[in-house]
Amino acid sequence: MSYSNIPSKILLPSCQDHIDLWQKFIQHNAATSIRDPHLGIKQIVGKYPGPHICFTAAVHGNEPVGVKAFLHLLTLAQEIPILTRGTLSLIIGNPLAFQKGVRYIEEDLNRSFNHKLTSSIEGQRAGLLRR
């Protein structure tokens, strides 16, 4: 089977699908938002100190599967204590591109970490995530 035979809905979810997922993520109350919920960073903090683990999703804005996994994890966290020690950070890599359902806005985010930061949206995001 070639990609040309796969319905476009499977390859490219609609922009509205991405916006709906984004809204569910930022409004989910099983984890706290870091600073501003629109930054797309949530944390689940265990009762006791421990390691800090970070997961990223949607580094490329047209890849929604990781955000769906985050929502599943957040829902699970409401039902059972999934973390007793440490902190789990869930990071939407490129929130603006994700909301638009496109790979990136100005430049590929995953390439923005390997060179001098630019003033592009992705360059600024890479700078934020480096901290």
Side-chain angles (χ1 to χ4, degrees):
M1 173 184 261
S2 72
Y3 285 113
S4 61
N5 295 335
I6 299 174
S8 63
K9 180 69 173 169
I10 294 172
L11 287 177
L12 298 172
S14 76
C15 188
Q16 188 59 48
D17 292 342
H18 284 239
I19 291 170
D20 292 345
L21 283 173
W22 172 253
Q23 290 298 323
K24 287 177 185 175
F25 179 78
I26 64 171
Q27 293 171 2
H28 210 292
N29 60 4
T32 58
S33 292
I34 303 302
R35 293 182 223 125
D36 176 353
H38 298 284
L39 289 176
I41 303 172
K42 294 225 176 219
Q43 285 188 332
I44 300 171
V45 180
K47 186 175 179 181
Y48 303 103
H52 186 173
I53 300 170
C54 298
F55 290 122
T56 60
V59 170
H60 297 123
N62 61 346
E63 299 171 347
V65 175
V67 179
K68 290 178 182 180
F70 281 1
L71 289 172
H72 180 72
L73 188 61
L74 289 169
T75 300
L76 186 64
Q78 283 183 309
E79 297 170 6
I80 59 172
I82 63 170
L83 190 67
T84 56
R85 295 189 181 280
T87 302
L88 175 63
S89 292
L90 306 175
I91 302 168
I92 305 294
N94 197 336
L96 293 176
F98 180 74
Q99 291 173 69
K100 292 180 182 249
V102 297
R103 186 172 177 89
Y104 57 85
I105 303 296
E106 296 177 290
E107 64 180 339
D108 211 331
L109 177 62
N110 67 335
R111 288 173 175 74
S112 298
F113 293 98
N114 294 332
H115 55 77
K116 183 180 174 186
L117 295 177
T118 67
S119 62
S120 71
I121 290 169
E122 284 79 10
Q124 292 176 46
R125 182 68 176 172
L128 174 75
L129 295 177
R130 279 185 177 180
R131 290 186 242 159

